Amino acid sequence: MAFADNLKALPPVAHLAALELSNAAGELTARIENKPGQAGSLAVYAALAAKHGSINPAAAAEGLAIYAEHTADAQAHPGKHPNIDRLIGITTPAQALSVRLIAA
């Protein structure tokens, strides 16, 4: 399925203003906001965190499948899709990111 179809199957995120990702040391590594251009990634990451508890290798693999055609584009053009690039880089449990949801 295409990303747009996968996105429709995810829980809504209207109740969120953003989410923050932190590494194992507790350092903030990224913030994904509920705004045009990021709302889809917010939905993906929020759903993955709800299911997996963090953005760990299993969550990252599932996320890459959700992003569908955009994953291939990200692999062909590193840096073009930073939220997908982040998932590509999570291959071990030590690289897992904790997620903090920020209510709207």
Side-chain angles (χ1 to χ4, degrees), residues 3 8 11 30 33 36 38 48 54 59 82 84 87 91 97-98 103:
F3 176 63
K8 291 175 188 172
E33 297 184 356
Q38 292 187 21
L48 294 173
S54 68
I84 300 173
L87 295 178
T91 58
L97 299 171
S98 61

Side-chain angles (χ1 to χ4, degrees), residues 1 5 7 21-22 33-34 37 65 75 77 80 97 99 104:
M1 289 196 343
D5 296 323
L7 197 55
L21 301 169
S22 299
E33 297 184 356
N34 195 350
Q75 291 168 327
H77 304 97
K80 183 176 177 184
L97 299 171
V99 178

Side-chain angles (χ1 to χ4, degrees), residues 23-101:
N23 62 20
E27 302 164 327
L28 181 66
T29 60
R31 179 180 171 99
I32 303 172
E33 297 184 356
N34 195 350
K35 64 181 187 180
Q38 292 187 21
S41 287
L42 177 66
V44 171
Y45 275 77
L48 294 173
K51 181 175 180 181
H52 296 277
S54 68
I55 306 301
N56 56 36
E62 183 175 342
L64 294 173
I66 292 169
Y67 277 112
E69 71 276 7
H70 297 295
T71 297
D73 190 52
Q75 291 168 327
H77 304 97
K80 183 176 177 184
H81 302 279
N83 293 321
I84 300 173
D85 293 341
R86 185 177 304 109
L87 295 178
I88 292 170
I90 298 175
T91 58
T92 69
Q95 296 169 314
L97 299 171
S98 61
V99 178
R100 181 173 157 250
L101 302 176

